[in-house]
């Protein structure tokens, strides 16, 4: 047999043993049990590719003229052509020396529209679906898009959404595609149950969870939306809570979410095992690093023998030791905690071992998943960059900082092997979440006018991590307030929070004058440690008192002087030190928040003084079971004139903000009925709060009992006669309700003065914002 005949026979045998039939979603390959010989074709004939073109088909197959190919090449070519999405049917056959590729082209999508959607706008849905205008139409792709839309609605609490599609041919192989959406009702959470808990009540554990049961205002808070990610976050929150309260053996046996389709409601159930409660036993620090004194590291350890076991204190101790060791010149040193559990005494001894560790460097930091937040906003939360020594504790700290920003619903940081054994790749996976908010709150206009305030804020402006807030308010006595606040948290690339505040307010709360002020503040805040920061400010303020009605006969002499004086300018600089160890800024249970400020006015303007004032608040959880929180606060301030005298608006005002039961300027020196402020004040308060009895803890209502005391005295305002002033202590007792509302934390207090002077002004009921730190 001639060589040419042998080749043709081989090709014929191959063609007969490898017929490919493909249509729709599947490909059937018919092959002989024997391996076919490799074959060669001289040309490739493409049929049916009218829109895509023969060149596009040829570029997506692996077979080339004059090159051997086999069954696997035909298989791979078919898969590649289907993968483009532009073909609904693909057939490949060999005819003599020609490879024949026959395709049926998919319809093209002319337009994608959404009908019936109100809760999720068109632009967001367009970013969710993969079917796009001028792209191929595929049933499989459309089905996947339906599931993507369904999942997006689940994320906003619409699990019973119904989605169908409609296609309308428009000629030339093109179709319009419409997703028809019936959004349905909100899917609620009817009940959250706990099984196996005995150390803490179910109501206490409810407060730990991010997810809440549905209530009258759930449509505003959106905390009753169930997702798998939120349930995992709740599991982690429960673990953290128990680990930080002495239960290192705690585990979640199971967590289930059951949907009642008839009622469109979820029931969530967490089954837990708490285990015994532990305290810290012996705490030691050991070092294998030559030249490093372990005893010197003991002072920075947060864990103390006899204290209730807290996983967070162990982590803080590791970080503190690591920082101290790095400062001593050992950047690669590793700190490893070792636990010695005593089951008889329920104690855990902790030994922190410091060893040299392996040398490793950061090769690069890969950031994934951020669709809105810029990469550099994430990178700047790391205390390391490419080329620096790798430090696992810095990774932990960066994760905590990223979570604290509030920009992301999920933060996950992992490491991978780099291009060399001593190189590490850090992978940061994040998921952006909404950072804008509309709020309604209670504020105070100048000179104590009470106003309702509406605000719009964005914590991650344009994905740059910048904070912006615009607010306007109005209330009784023609009170008006306007403000604009902006903060750049990393000014000039450094961890300096720089920003400005522009403000304007007015009120006619006094019967005989109108008060107006407007101005701006420039500020910059720099961290000193993780808990301590300093803020520098420059404030420029214009103030005016305009007399009304028969003001000459009814105002006291100091205020008559203010009205006659016209407009005033106050120009001042100040520095504030802030110490903050609170476990939460919304509902603190443990920690200290303290500030001290000194201020100098006299950079031009009409005010010349030096002020120093401060406040400290200490929180302590008195009962885990009852979630009873105790709070003690103290404050003091003093101002002295650096010029001839002080103005009325230079002195401190004192009243209901410090000692409830009085007006905001109800305590201190007065001339007639007018409060002129004072030069020195002291105040203290004690308070206990518990969740409101007989109400679910998810309602966010807490009952408060408190006692306040304080005084304001001294005067450096020119007064001819009629001054009433003394340094006697004023005091009050009362009760209140705090509500963590969708509009912010609101507070309602009723206080009764038990020590006062005759010329003081009372205001027993008070409505204010809670926890104004």
């Amino acid at each position: 047999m001639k060589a040419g005949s042998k080749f043709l026979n081989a090709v014929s045998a191959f063609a007969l043993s490898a017929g490919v039939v493909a249509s729709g979603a599947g490909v059937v390959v018919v092959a002989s049990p024997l391996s076919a010989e490799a074959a060669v074709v001289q040309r490739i004939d493409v049929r049916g590719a009218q829109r895509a073109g023969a060149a596009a088909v040829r570029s997506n197959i692996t077979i080339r003229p004059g090159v051997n190919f086999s069954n696997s090449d035909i298989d791979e070519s078919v898969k590649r052509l289907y993968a483009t999405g532009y073909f609904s049917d693909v057939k490949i056959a060999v005819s003599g020396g020609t490879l024949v590729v026959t395709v049926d082209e998919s319809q093209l999508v002319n337009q994608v529209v959404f009908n019936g959607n109100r809760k999720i706008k068109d632009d967001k849905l367009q970013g969710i679906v993969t079917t796009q205008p001028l792209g191929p139409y595929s049933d499989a792709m459309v089905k996947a898009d339906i599931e993507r839309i369904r999942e997006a609605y689940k994320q906003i609490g619409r699990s019973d959404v119904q989605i169908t599609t409609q296609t309308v041919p428009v000629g030339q192989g093109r179709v319009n595609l419409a997703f028809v959406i019936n959004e349905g009702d909100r899917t609620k959470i009817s009940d959250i149950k706990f099984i196996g808990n005995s150390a803490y009540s179910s109501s206490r554990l409810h407060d730990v969870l991010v997810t809440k049961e549905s209530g009258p205002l759930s449509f505003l808070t959106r905390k009753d939306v169930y997702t798998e990610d939120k349930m995992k976050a709740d599991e982690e929150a429960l673990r953290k809570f128990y680990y930080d309260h002495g239960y290192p053996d705690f585990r979640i046996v199971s967590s289930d979410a059951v949907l009642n389709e008839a009622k469109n409601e979820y029931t969530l159930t967490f089954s837990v095992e708490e285990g015994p409660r532990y305290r810290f036993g012996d705490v030691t620090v050991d070092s294998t690093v030559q030249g490093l004194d372990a005893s010197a590291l003991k002072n920075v350890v947060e864990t103390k023998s006899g204290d209730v076991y807290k996983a967070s204190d162990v982590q803080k101790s590791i970080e503190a030791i690591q920082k101290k060791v790095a400062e001593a010149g050992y950047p690669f040193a590793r700190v490893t905690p070792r636990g010695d559990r005593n089951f008889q005494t329920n104690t855990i001894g902790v030994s922190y071992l410091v060893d040299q560790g392996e040398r490793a460097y950061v090769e690069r930091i890969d950031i994934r998943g951020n669709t809105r937040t810029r990469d550099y906003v994430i990178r700047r939360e790391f205390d390391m960059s490419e080329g620096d020594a790798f430090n696992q504790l810095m990774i932990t700290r960066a994760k905590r900082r990223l979570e604290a920003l509030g920009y992301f619903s999920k933060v996950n940081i992992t490491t991978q092997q780099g291009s060399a054994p001593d190189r590490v790749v850090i992978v940061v996976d994040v998921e952006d979440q909404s950072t804008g908010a509309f709020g309604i709150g209670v504020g105070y206009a100048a000179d104590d006018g009470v106003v309702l305030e509406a605000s719009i804020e964005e914590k991650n402006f344009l994905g740059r991590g910048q904070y912006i807030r615009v607010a306007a308010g109005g209330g009784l006595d023609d009170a008006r307030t306007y403000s604009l606040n902006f903060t750049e948290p990393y000014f000039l690339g450094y961890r300096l929070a720089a920003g400005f505040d522009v403000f304007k307010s007015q009120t006619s709360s006094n019967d005989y004058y109108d008060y107006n002020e407007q101005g701006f503040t420039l500020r910059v805040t720099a961290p000193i440690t993780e808990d301590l920061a300093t803020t520098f400010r420059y404030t420029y303020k214009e103030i005016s008192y305009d007399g009304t009605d028969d003001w000459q006969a009814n105002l006291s002499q100091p205020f008559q002087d203010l009205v006659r004086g016209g407009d005033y300018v106050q120009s001042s600089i100040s520095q504030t030190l802030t110490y903050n160890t609170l476990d939460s800024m919304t509902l603190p249970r443990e920690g200290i928040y303290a500030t001290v400020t000194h201020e100098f006015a006299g950079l031009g303007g009409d005010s010349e003084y030096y002020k120093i004032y401060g406040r400290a608040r200490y929180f302590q959880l008195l009962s885990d079971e009852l979630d009873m929180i105790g709070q003690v606060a103290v404050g003091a301030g003093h101002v002295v004139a650096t010029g001839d005298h002080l103005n009325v608006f230079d002195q401190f005002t004192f009243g209901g903000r410090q000692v409830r039961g009085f007006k905001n300027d109800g305590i201190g020196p007065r001339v007639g009925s007018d409060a002129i402020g004072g030069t020195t004040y002291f105040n203290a308060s004690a308070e206990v709060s518990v969740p409101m009895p007989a109400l679910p803890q998810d309602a966010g209502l807490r009952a408060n009992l408190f006692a306040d005391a304080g005084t304001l005295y001294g005067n450096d305002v020119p007064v001819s006669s009629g001054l009433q002033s003394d340094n006697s202590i004023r005091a009050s007792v009362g009760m209140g309700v705090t509500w963590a509302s969708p509009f912010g934390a609101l507070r309602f207090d009723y206080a009764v003065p038990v020590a006062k002077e005759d010329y003081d002004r009372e205001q027993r009921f008070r409505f204010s914002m809670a926890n104004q730190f």
Side-chain angles (χ1 to χ4, degrees):
M1 185 178 291
K2 295 181 180 179
S5 299
K6 289 181 179 180
F7 173 76
L8 292 175
N9 289 339
V11 173
S12 300
F14 181 82
L16 290 173
S17 63
V20 179
V21 181
S23 65
V27 177
V28 179
V29 180
V30 181
S32 72
L34 299 176
S35 296
E37 300 178 36
V40 178
V41 293
Q42 303 304 315
R43 60 186 294 269
I44 298 175
D45 183 18
V46 177
R47 301 174 184 176
Q50 297 177 356
R51 289 194 305 268
V57 173
R58 292 190 183 100
S59 66
N60 279 284
I61 63 177
T62 62
I63 302 169
R64 297 289 180 266
V67 180
N68 288 344
F69 68 92
S70 63
N71 284 359
S72 60
D73 293 305
I74 292 179
D75 241 5
E76 180 63 24
S77 297
V78 171
K79 290 178 182 178
R80 287 192 180 189
L81 289 171
Y82 270 116
T84 66
Y86 286 95
F87 307 109
S88 60
D89 191 24
V90 177
K91 296 177 182 178
I92 297 180
V94 177
S95 176
T98 301
L99 184 75
V100 181
V101 182
T102 305
V103 297
D104 288 342
E105 291 184 310
S106 300
Q107 293 177 303
L108 287 181
V109 177
N110 182 64
Q111 188 178 11
V112 179
V113 297
F114 304 93
N115 296 327
N117 56 305
R118 297 191 310 276
K119 301 300 179 181
I120 303 180
K121 301 303 181 184
D122 286 6
D123 56 349
K124 187 170 183 178
L125 290 175
Q126 286 168 354
I128 292 172
V129 300
T130 57
T131 304
Q132 298 294 330
L134 302 182
Y137 176 87
S138 164
D139 287 335
M141 190 182 298
V142 170
K143 288 179 181 178
D145 285 340
I146 290 175
E147 290 307 312
R148 291 187 182 94
I149 296 173
R150 194 186 309 280
E151 185 60 32
Y153 273 93
K154 285 183 180 180
Q155 296 291 326
I156 64 169
R158 301 264 170 176
S159 296
D160 65 340
V161 62
Q162 297 178 358
I163 306 164
T164 58
T165 60
Q166 295 177 350
T167 56
V168 179
V170 294
Q172 298 182 342
R174 297 172 181 260
V175 295
N176 286 342
L177 172 64
F179 290 93
V180 182
I181 301 170
N182 180 355
E183 296 180 322
D185 295 327
R186 292 187 69 245
T187 305
K188 300 180 180 180
I189 296 178
S190 61
D191 196 11
I192 300 178
K193 300 178 180 179
F194 296 91
I195 299 173
N197 56 305
S198 58
Y200 296 100
S201 66
S202 294
S203 62
R204 177 68 181 95
L205 297 182
H206 272 88
D207 193 49
V208 176
L209 303 183
V210 176
T211 308
K212 306 298 181 185
E213 294 175 355
S214 298
L217 296 177
S218 294
F219 73 98
L220 291 174
T221 65
R222 300 291 182 181
K223 292 182 179 180
D224 65 335
V225 175
Y226 164 76
T227 66
E228 291 184 8
D229 287 342
K230 284 184 67 176
M231 197 158 196
K232 290 178 182 177
D234 285 334
E235 292 177 8
E236 188 59 33
L238 286 171
R239 291 189 190 97
K240 185 177 184 300
F241 173 77
Y242 272 95
Y243 293 166
D244 276 351
H245 288 79
Y247 295 87
D249 294 333
F250 171 82
R251 73 185 187 97
I252 296 175
V253 179
S254 64
S255 57
D256 301 303
V258 178
L259 176 63
N260 184 329
E261 295 185 1
K263 294 184 178 180
N264 194 27
E265 295 177 343
Y266 276 107
T267 298
L268 308 186
T269 304
F270 296 89
S271 180
V272 304
E273 285 185 5
E274 295 175 326
R277 197 181 200 199
Y278 284 80
R279 292 183 177 272
F280 284 112
D282 294 334
V283 178
T284 61
V285 180
D286 300 315
S287 172
T288 62
V289 179
Q290 187 175 3
L292 189 63
D293 183 11
S295 60
L297 301 175
K298 187 71 180 293
N299 295 331
V300 301
V301 173
E302 296 281 343
T303 50
K304 306 298 180 184
S305 180
D307 288 352
V308 174
Y309 176 86
K310 291 181 67 174
S312 60
D313 282 350
V314 175
Q315 183 63 41
K316 289 178 182 178
S317 297
I318 294 172
E319 293 182 11
I321 295 173
Q322 181 70 59
K323 182 179 179 182
K324 194 78 172 178
V325 169
E327 290 173 350
Y330 302 92
F332 296 103
R334 177 176 55 197
V335 182
T336 306
R338 296 179 176 179
D340 180 16
R341 189 185 302 247
N342 188 319
F343 294 98
Q344 283 71 40
T345 60
N346 284 345
T347 60
I348 299 178
V350 182
S351 175
Y352 299 95
L353 175 63
V354 184
D355 57 27
Q356 186 57 53
E358 298 178 357
R359 289 180 176 269
Y361 299 89
V362 179
E363 181 171 309
R364 68 178 186 273
I365 300 175
D366 291 342
I367 299 172
R368 306 185 306 203
N370 52 316
T371 57
R372 182 166 178 266
T373 304
R374 313 292 178 93
D375 279 8
Y376 70 83
V377 173
I378 298 172
R379 288 179 183 276
R380 68 193 185 190
E381 298 302 329
F382 287 81
D383 290 329
M384 62 175 72
S385 57
E386 283 83 352
D388 289 347
F390 174 78
N391 188 315
Q392 182 61 47
L393 290 178
M394 289 187 181
I395 301 297
T396 303
R397 186 183 303 165
K399 184 175 187 294
R400 188 166 62 243
R401 286 173 177 170
L402 288 170
E403 291 172 336
L405 291 175
Y407 303 164
F408 312 107
S409 60
K410 180 177 67 176
V411 178
N412 187 34
I413 303 179
T414 57
T415 57
Q416 296 177 355
Q417 178 65 54
S419 59
D422 64 344
R423 295 293 185 268
V424 177
V425 176
I426 300 172
V427 180
V428 185
D429 287 296
V430 298
E431 187 174 303
D432 284 297
Q433 67 179 2
S434 175
T435 53
F438 171 77
I440 299 177
V442 180
Y444 294 93
D447 204 39
D448 301 334
V450 180
V451 298
L452 288 174
E453 183 181 74
S455 64
I456 299 175
E457 70 175 13
E458 172 56 63
K459 295 187 293 185
N460 189 13
F461 185 59
L462 299 178
R464 300 174 181 270
Q466 298 164 331
Y467 174 86
I468 187 169
R469 182 178 185 269
V470 179
L476 301 174
D477 302 315
D478 295 325
R480 299 289 185 271
T481 62
Y482 309 93
S483 64
L484 169 64
N485 314 98
F486 177 82
T487 301
E488 166 54 63
Y490 276 75
F491 185 59
L492 299 178
Y494 297 97
R495 191 163 285 157
L496 299 173
F500 63 84
D501 310 298
V502 180
F503 53 87
K504 178 179 176 62
S505 64
Q506 63 186 53
T507 182
S508 301
S509 58
N510 190 282
D511 292 337
Y512 299 104
Y513 66 81
D514 296 336
Y515 180 93
N516 297 271
E517 72 174 34
Q518 60 185 7
F520 65 88
T521 296
L522 304 177
R523 51 185 161 75
V524 60
T525 299
I528 300 174
T529 67
E530 288 290 319
D531 302 325
L532 184 66
T534 182
T535 301
F536 296 90
R537 296 182 182 86
Y538 170 75
T539 300
Y540 177 88
K541 185 187 297 184
E542 295 177 350
I543 300 170
S544 68
Y545 291 81
D546 299 319
T548 60
D549 297 330
D550 191 9
W551 61 271
Q552 296 93 336
N554 291 281
L555 288 179
S556 60
Q557 172 249 321
F559 280 88
Q560 289 185 34
D561 293 343
L562 288 174
V563 173
R564 293 190 182 97
D567 297 337
Y568 299 87
V569 170
Q570 196 177 75
S571 177
S572 66
I573 56 172
S574 65
Q575 183 214 5
T576 300
L577 285 173
T578 302
Y579 179 71
N580 181 8
T581 62
L582 297 183
D583 58 348
S584 169
M585 292 299 290
T586 54
L587 182 60
R589 291 182 170 86
E590 293 182 348
I592 297 173
Y593 190 92
T595 63
V596 59
T597 300
H598 60 107
E599 178 181 346
F600 173 76
L603 307 176
D606 302 293
S607 295
E608 295 180 333
Y609 62 78
Y610 173 77
K611 278 183 182 179
I612 184 168
Y613 53 93
R615 189 186 190 199
R617 301 173 71 177
Y618 171 71
F619 295 85
Q620 180 63 51
L621 186 63
L622 303 179
S623 169
D624 275 346
E625 173 61 25
L626 299 177
D627 194 22
M628 180 183 293
I629 305 172
Q631 175 190 165
V632 176
V634 294
H638 183 65
V639 56
V640 294
T642 57
D644 294 335
H645 59 81
L646 296 174
N647 298 302
V648 168
F649 49 80
D650 297 332
Q651 300 198 130
F652 294 108
T653 58
F654 195 83
R657 296 186 185 91
Q658 297 82 16
V659 182
R660 283 159 286 194
F662 295 86
K663 287 188 174 182
N664 286 333
D665 60 356
I667 296 174
R670 310 185 83 83
V671 176
S673 61
D674 296 327
I676 60 172
T679 59
T680 306
Y681 75 86
F682 299 94
N683 71 285
S685 67
E687 182 173 310
V688 174
S689 75
V690 294
M692 186 70 73
L695 289 177
Q697 199 153 347
D698 291 346
L701 289 166
R702 298 182 66 88
N704 312 286
L705 294 175
F706 58 83
D708 297 337
T711 184
L712 171 70
Y713 60 91
N715 175 63
D716 198 10
V717 173
V719 176
S720 56
S721 62
L723 176 65
Q724 302 177 86
S725 178
D726 62 63
N727 60 359
S728 63
I729 299 296
R730 280 73 158 181
S732 67
V733 295
M735 62 181 62
V737 174
T738 305
W739 178 32
S741 78
F743 315 108
L746 303 180
R747 181 165 185 136
F748 308 83
D749 289 319
Y750 183 81
V752 178
V754 294
K756 66 184 186 70
E757 295 299 319
D758 293 339
Y759 55 84
D760 293 335
R761 298 293 186 267
E762 294 186 19
Q763 181 181 313
R764 298 195 173 191
F765 178 76
R766 182 175 179 82
F767 174 39
S768 61
M769 298 293 290
N771 283 343
Q772 293 181 337
F773 294 104

